[in-house]
Structure formats: structure tokens, C-alpha cells
Amino acid sequence: MSEALLREYRVCEEIGRGRFGAVSLFQSLDPTRPGSFAVKSISKASVSGDDLDSQCLLSEPKILSLLSPHPNIVQIYDVYEDSTHLHMVLDLCNGPDLHQLLVNAGRPFSESEAAPLFAQLMRAVAHCHRHGVAHRDIKPDNILFDPTGRLKLADFGSADTFSAGPLSGLVGTPYYVAPEVVAGRAYGEKVDVWSAGVVLYMMLAGFPPFYGETAVEIFNAVLRANLRFPVRTFGSVSPAAKDLLRRMLCKDISRRLSAEQALRNPWTASGGVVDNDKNDPT
């Protein structure tokens, strides 16, 4: 491990592991910046070559530095490199992620529970897009919470910049990936809006809007984009929430909301407290 890293931080324990490395709890040895941090260590051997994963992972520190600081995005503090690994010192978010919160709840979230979380997520996404960054892997597992309970969008290992032109490549997680990505077309930042719409649907329903038994079946369902609101689950969900979902999970990219528009949507802005007496075409 990097000698410079170990001069500044004390390693405590491993708290997570992924395809490209581990995340560990570190304690700062700098009295001017005390506290605990997460250190994400990326194995260079696992990302060697010219594949898309390698390019994105090695650019993650640069992208996080571009986006930091933001209250709803995991902040990067330091980057260290040794012969085998790249180490990023990040905000510590060691509580349950959004996926775990949904599992622990054992039920869908109410609108008043979901809306404040969704607003924080869209603030993060809008900030990314203002800086020319598409996250490309928004899902509950990558939505973390700091010790104060503040939402933090994390894991920018699939992120890329779109300011120089459209993006390409099948990147993301099957349930959450946008149809234009599955179709193999060039795409832009609105893929994140689609993914965030799936996250909102998951919070309100407890299951994804497009599903299948295999990745191929899921992708086919995403391509069809046949959005439904089962009465048993959505009978008590407001027309305003369903309207927002329709506008985010819209296959026509030109009609899909931007992140800023989703953030300013009345349902989001009201904290999920809306007039349920509006006519609902569902």
C-alpha cells in the first residue's frame, strides 16, 4: 500500500469489496482534518487494457474532483498511487444504502418518505449534468448516506463526460439502464434521468418497472418501455407522482425530462405532498 497514504491515515478494516478492488475504513492521522474516511482502492491489474471499464475507472478521481464538493455527492479528498493500486480517500458512508433501506423497510416508501430522498438524488444528478458528467450507473446500491443521514450519490466508476459529444457503450445495471443504451445508440446525460426514474418507481412500488428472469429479458422489457402502475401497488400513489414517473421513464428522449426539470417538478418540490384529486389517466 502507498507509503504516503499510510503516513496520513491509519487503516482500520475492510468494509466492502467489488470487482476492481476494496473499500476500507481509514482514520486520519492529520490533526487538522480528524475523522474517519473511506478509501477505495482500485487494482491496476484488474483494469489494465483499453476496455471501457478501465478508461472509466481510471478517470473516476478526475471526475470526482470536478464535482466536489457537493452535499449530495461523495466527496474526494486525496488520491494516492502505488505500483499496484490507485487509492481514493472519500467520504465515509458506512450505513445502509438505499437498496438496504428498502429491504429493511419491507414495504414501499410513502410519497412523503420518497420525495425528500428523490430531491437530494436529483440535486446530485443536476449538478453532474451542469458539469458535463453523466453518472451512467444510478441505482439504489450506489445511493449512500453519511452519518447525518444525508444522501450521497457514489461510485462514479462508470461515469463519463459528454461535453465533447454523445456517449456510447452498454454501461449500467440491467434494471436501471435506459432503452437507448440497450439499443446500442449514441446517448446523452438523460440516461441518468431514466435511471433515477426507475429508482423512484422502486421506492414507491418495491419492485422495478421493467423486469425479467434474465438480463436479456430485462433488456427486452426496457426496450418495450411499457410503463404500468398496478392498482394494488399504486392505488394510493398520487397522480402527480405517476405523472412524474411517466415523464422520466419516457422512451422518447426529446420528451423525457431533464434532471433540472425533474428537480423543479411540483411533486419533487412539494416533498410529495400534492393534490390527489386531479384526474388520473391511469
Side-chain angles (χ1 to χ4, degrees):
M1 186 169 285
S2 165
E3 292 182 5
L5 172 62
L6 295 178
R7 282 196 299 268
E8 300 290 333
Y9 299 90
R10 177 173 61 88
V11 61
C12 297
E13 60 181 319
E14 185 177 304
I15 56 177
R17 180 164 288 275
R19 186 158 58 108
F20 297 106
V23 179
S24 301
L25 173 65
F26 277 62
Q27 193 78 30
S28 173
L29 299 176
D30 183 351
T32 66
R33 194 175 69 190
S36 298
F37 297 85
V39 174
K40 181 176 181 179
S41 300
I42 300 172
S43 168
K44 292 180 179 178
S46 67
V47 297
S48 60
D50 297 324
D51 62 288
L52 185 61
D53 284 333
S54 301
Q55 296 169 27
C56 292
L57 281 163
L58 296 177
S59 68
E60 185 176 7
K62 184 184 298 184
I63 286 176
L64 278 173
S65 297
L66 174 66
L67 298 174
S68 293
H70 185 276
N72 298 120
I73 294 175
V74 166
Q75 183 169 343
I76 188 168
Y77 296 94
D78 291 305
V79 180
Y80 299 89
E81 188 173 359
D82 56 36
S83 59
T84 60
H85 287 79
L86 186 71
H87 308 279
M88 294 181 288
V89 181
L90 308 165
D91 280 329
L92 177 64
C93 301
N94 58 348
D97 58 34
L98 182 58
H99 171 74
Q100 292 167 327
L101 286 181
L102 281 164
V103 171
N104 293 344
R107 59 167 178 80
F109 289 171
S110 68
E111 292 182 62
S112 60
E113 291 171 327
L117 299 177
F118 178 74
Q120 292 181 74
L121 173 60
M122 295 318 298
R123 288 188 198 108
V125 176
H127 179 77
C128 291
H129 293 179
R130 283 194 295 269
H131 286 76
V133 172
H135 185 283
R136 299 204 294 177
D137 196 19
I138 293 174
K139 57 183 178 180
D141 314 60
N142 289 337
I143 298 171
L144 312 182
F145 297 89
D146 70 11
T148 71
R150 177 180 288 164
L151 181 148
K152 298 274 188 175
L153 181 59
D155 198 345
F156 282 75
S158 297
D160 202 355
T161 56
F162 56 84
S163 53
L167 303 174
S168 61
L170 181 55
V171 178
T173 303
Y175 283 122
Y176 303 92
V177 72
E180 60 267 30
V181 178
V182 179
R185 301 196 302 267
Y187 53 85
E189 72 278 13
K190 283 189 178 182
V191 296
D192 288 343
V193 176
W194 177 280
S195 300
V198 176
V199 170
L200 177 57
Y201 190 105
M202 283 282 295
M203 285 196 284
L204 295 176
F207 53 84
F210 314 108
Y211 52 89
E213 295 297 324
T214 65
V216 171
E217 289 181 4
I218 296 167
F219 286 147
N220 286 335
V222 168
L223 285 171
R224 290 192 298 271
N226 184 15
L227 182 62
R228 295 179 177 177
F229 299 109
V231 174
R232 177 177 292 183
T233 304
F234 281 90
S236 61
V237 174
S238 71
K242 286 181 275 193
D243 180 67
L244 174 57
L245 286 167
R246 290 188 191 94
R247 293 171 185 270
M248 296 181 72
L249 298 174
C250 178
K251 191 173 181 180
D252 184 344
I253 304 165
S254 67
R255 295 174 56 218
R256 189 183 306 163
L257 294 182
S258 68
E260 293 280 2
Q261 289 170 328
L263 182 58
R264 295 196 305 267
N265 183 272
W267 184 86
T268 312
S270 71
V273 181
V274 292
D275 180 6
N276 285 337
D277 295 327
K278 287 177 62 180
N279 291 329
D280 182 14
T282 300

